[in-house]
PDB file of all heavy atoms in Angstrom:
ATOM      1  N   ASN A 379     -17.111   9.714  24.163  1.00 71.00           N
ATOM      2  CA  ASN A 379     -17.471  10.637  23.080  1.00 71.00           C
ATOM      3  C   ASN A 379     -17.905   9.924  21.810  1.00 71.00           C
ATOM      4  O   ASN A 379     -18.293  10.558  20.843  1.00 71.00           O
ATOM      5  CB  ASN A 379     -16.306  11.578  22.776  1.00 71.00           C
ATOM      6  CG  ASN A 379     -16.256  12.731  23.748  1.00 71.00           C
ATOM      7  OD1 ASN A 379     -16.543  12.565  24.932  1.00 71.00           O
ATOM      8  ND2 ASN A 379     -15.918  13.911  23.258  1.00 71.00           N
ATOM      9  N   GLN A 380     -17.832   8.588  21.809  1.00 72.00           N
ATOM     10  CA  GLN A 380     -18.387   7.818  20.697  1.00 72.00           C
ATOM     11  C   GLN A 380     -19.718   7.195  21.078  1.00 72.00           C
ATOM     12  O   GLN A 380     -20.185   6.258  20.429  1.00 72.00           O
ATOM     13  CB  GLN A 380     -17.403   6.737  20.250  1.00 72.00           C
ATOM     14  CG  GLN A 380     -16.149   7.285  19.599  1.00 72.00           C
ATOM     15  CD  GLN A 380     -15.318   6.206  18.931  1.00 72.00           C
ATOM     16  OE1 GLN A 380     -15.791   5.511  18.034  1.00 72.00           O
ATOM     17  NE2 GLN A 380     -14.069   6.066  19.369  1.00 72.00           N
ATOM     18  N   ARG A 381     -20.352   7.723  22.107  1.00 69.00           N
ATOM     19  CA  ARG A 381     -21.680   7.235  22.511  1.00 69.00           C
ATOM     20  C   ARG A 381     -22.704   7.865  21.574  1.00 69.00           C
ATOM     21  O   ARG A 381     -23.230   8.950  21.838  1.00 69.00           O
ATOM     22  CB  ARG A 381     -21.962   7.600  23.967  1.00 69.00           C
ATOM     23  CG  ARG A 381     -23.221   6.948  24.517  1.00 69.00           C
ATOM     24  CD  ARG A 381     -23.524   7.460  25.926  1.00 69.00           C
ATOM     25  NE  ARG A 381     -22.571   6.999  26.914  1.00 69.00           N
ATOM     26  CZ  ARG A 381     -22.642   5.829  27.547  1.00 69.00           C
ATOM     27  NH1 ARG A 381     -23.623   4.991  27.268  1.00 69.00           N
ATOM     28  NH2 ARG A 381     -21.749   5.503  28.452  1.00 69.00           N
ATOM     29  N   ILE A 382     -22.992   7.207  20.456  1.00 59.00           N
ATOM     30  CA  ILE A 382     -23.854   7.806  19.446  1.00 59.00           C
ATOM     31  C   ILE A 382     -25.265   7.220  19.439  1.00 59.00           C
ATOM     32  O   ILE A 382     -26.075   7.565  18.591  1.00 59.00           O
ATOM     33  CB  ILE A 382     -23.229   7.665  18.045  1.00 59.00           C
ATOM     34  CG1 ILE A 382     -22.988   6.211  17.692  1.00 59.00           C
ATOM     35  CG2 ILE A 382     -21.954   8.460  17.943  1.00 59.00           C
ATOM     36  CD1 ILE A 382     -22.395   6.006  16.303  1.00 59.00           C
ATOM     37  N   PHE A 383     -25.548   6.298  20.377  1.00 62.00           N
ATOM     38  CA  PHE A 383     -26.894   5.753  20.484  1.00 62.00           C
ATOM     39  C   PHE A 383     -27.575   6.332  21.730  1.00 62.00           C
ATOM     40  O   PHE A 383     -26.907   6.658  22.718  1.00 62.00           O
ATOM     41  CB  PHE A 383     -26.858   4.224  20.568  1.00 62.00           C
ATOM     42  CG  PHE A 383     -26.247   3.582  19.352  1.00 62.00           C
ATOM     43  CD1 PHE A 383     -24.954   3.080  19.392  1.00 62.00           C
ATOM     44  CD2 PHE A 383     -26.958   3.503  18.165  1.00 62.00           C
ATOM     45  CE1 PHE A 383     -24.383   2.486  18.276  1.00 62.00           C
ATOM     46  CE2 PHE A 383     -26.396   2.920  17.043  1.00 62.00           C
ATOM     47  CZ  PHE A 383     -25.110   2.416  17.094  1.00 62.00           C
ATOM     48  N   ALA A 384     -28.895   6.427  21.650  1.00 57.00           N
ATOM     49  CA  ALA A 384     -29.659   7.036  22.738  1.00 57.00           C
ATOM     50  C   ALA A 384     -29.892   6.033  23.865  1.00 57.00           C
ATOM     51  O   ALA A 384     -31.027   5.723  24.232  1.00 57.00           O
ATOM     52  CB  ALA A 384     -30.986   7.567  22.205  1.00 57.00           C
ATOM     53  N   ARG A 385     -28.833   5.492  24.393  1.00 64.00           N
ATOM     54  CA  ARG A 385     -28.926   4.613  25.550  1.00 64.00           C
ATOM     55  C   ARG A 385     -27.673   4.796  26.392  1.00 64.00           C
ATOM     56  O   ARG A 385     -26.607   5.125  25.871  1.00 64.00           O
ATOM     57  CB  ARG A 385     -29.077   3.147  25.133  1.00 64.00           C
ATOM     58  CG  ARG A 385     -27.994   2.625  24.191  1.00 64.00           C
ATOM     59  CD  ARG A 385     -28.141   1.120  23.978  1.00 64.00           C
ATOM     60  NE  ARG A 385     -27.224   0.636  22.946  1.00 64.00           N
ATOM     61  CZ  ARG A 385     -27.565   0.419  21.687  1.00 64.00           C
ATOM     62  NH1 ARG A 385     -28.808   0.644  21.310  1.00 64.00           N
ATOM     63  NH2 ARG A 385     -26.688  -0.020  20.797  1.00 64.00           N
ATOM     64  N   PHE A 386     -27.827   4.566  27.655  1.00 71.00           N
ATOM     65  CA  PHE A 386     -26.728   4.781  28.583  1.00 71.00           C
ATOM     66  C   PHE A 386     -26.628   3.581  29.512  1.00 71.00           C
ATOM     67  O   PHE A 386     -27.623   2.995  29.893  1.00 71.00           O
ATOM     68  CB  PHE A 386     -26.937   6.067  29.395  1.00 71.00           C
ATOM     69  CG  PHE A 386     -26.963   7.298  28.547  1.00 71.00           C
ATOM     70  CD1 PHE A 386     -28.141   7.742  27.974  1.00 71.00           C
ATOM     71  CD2 PHE A 386     -25.796   8.006  28.313  1.00 71.00           C
ATOM     72  CE1 PHE A 386     -28.169   8.876  27.182  1.00 71.00           C
ATOM     73  CE2 PHE A 386     -25.810   9.141  27.527  1.00 71.00           C
ATOM     74  CZ  PHE A 386     -27.002   9.579  26.952  1.00 71.00           C
ATOM     75  N   GLY A 387     -25.418   3.246  29.850  1.00 75.00           N
ATOM     76  CA  GLY A 387     -25.231   2.137  30.767  1.00 75.00           C
ATOM     77  C   GLY A 387     -23.817   2.101  31.289  1.00 75.00           C
ATOM     78  O   GLY A 387     -22.879   2.555  30.630  1.00 75.00           O
ATOM     79  N   ARG A 388     -23.686   1.558  32.470  1.00 86.00           N
ATOM     80  CA  ARG A 388     -22.371   1.383  33.078  1.00 86.00           C
ATOM     81  C   ARG A 388     -22.327   0.004  33.718  1.00 86.00           C
ATOM     82  O   ARG A 388     -23.334  -0.507  34.212  1.00 86.00           O
ATOM     83  CB  ARG A 388     -22.141   2.438  34.168  1.00 86.00           C
ATOM     84  CG  ARG A 388     -21.955   3.860  33.661  1.00 86.00           C
ATOM     85  CD  ARG A 388     -20.592   4.057  33.044  1.00 86.00           C
ATOM     86  NE  ARG A 388     -19.523   3.684  33.971  1.00 86.00           N
ATOM     87  CZ  ARG A 388     -18.268   3.490  33.589  1.00 86.00           C
ATOM     88  NH1 ARG A 388     -17.929   3.593  32.327  1.00 86.00           N
ATOM     89  NH2 ARG A 388     -17.339   3.154  34.470  1.00 86.00           N
ATOM     90  N   PRO A 389     -21.177  -0.664  33.720  1.00 88.00           N
ATOM     91  CA  PRO A 389     -21.069  -1.945  34.426  1.00 88.00           C
ATOM     92  C   PRO A 389     -21.457  -1.764  35.896  1.00 88.00           C
ATOM     93  O   PRO A 389     -21.129  -0.729  36.509  1.00 88.00           O
ATOM     94  CB  PRO A 389     -19.590  -2.295  34.273  1.00 88.00           C
ATOM     95  CG  PRO A 389     -19.136  -1.545  33.064  1.00 88.00           C
ATOM     96  CD  PRO A 389     -19.923  -0.278  33.068  1.00 88.00           C
ATOM     97  N   PRO A 390     -22.134  -2.732  36.477  1.00 88.00           N
ATOM     98  CA  PRO A 390     -22.629  -2.599  37.855  1.00 88.00           C
ATOM     99  C   PRO A 390     -21.569  -2.893  38.910  1.00 88.00           C
ATOM    100  O   PRO A 390     -21.913  -3.107  40.079  1.00 88.00           O
ATOM    101  CB  PRO A 390     -23.751  -3.623  37.904  1.00 88.00           C
ATOM    102  CG  PRO A 390     -23.327  -4.693  36.956  1.00 88.00           C
ATOM    103  CD  PRO A 390     -22.596  -3.990  35.858  1.00 88.00           C
ATOM    104  N   VAL A 391     -20.311  -2.929  38.504  1.00 91.00           N
ATOM    105  CA  VAL A 391     -19.238  -3.221  39.459  1.00 91.00           C
ATOM    106  C   VAL A 391     -18.144  -2.175  39.290  1.00 91.00           C
ATOM    107  O   VAL A 391     -17.998  -1.573  38.227  1.00 91.00           O
ATOM    108  CB  VAL A 391     -18.646  -4.638  39.208  1.00 91.00           C
ATOM    109  CG1 VAL A 391     -19.674  -5.710  39.518  1.00 91.00           C
ATOM    110  CG2 VAL A 391     -18.144  -4.773  37.772  1.00 91.00           C
ATOM    111  N   PRO A 392     -17.379  -1.921  40.353  1.00 91.00           N
ATOM    112  CA  PRO A 392     -16.285  -0.944  40.238  1.00 91.00           C
ATOM    113  C   PRO A 392     -15.162  -1.475  39.342  1.00 91.00           C
ATOM    114  O   PRO A 392     -14.828  -2.653  39.381  1.00 91.00           O
ATOM    115  CB  PRO A 392     -15.818  -0.761  41.688  1.00 91.00           C
ATOM    116  CG  PRO A 392     -16.241  -2.008  42.393  1.00 91.00           C
ATOM    117  CD  PRO A 392     -17.512  -2.445  41.739  1.00 91.00           C
TER     118      PRO A 392
END
Side-chain angles (χ1 to χ4, degrees):
N379 279 37
Q380 292 191 59
R381 189 186 290 275
I382 58 179
F383 299 104
R385 55 173 173 261
F386 297 87
R388 290 285 305 165
V391 293

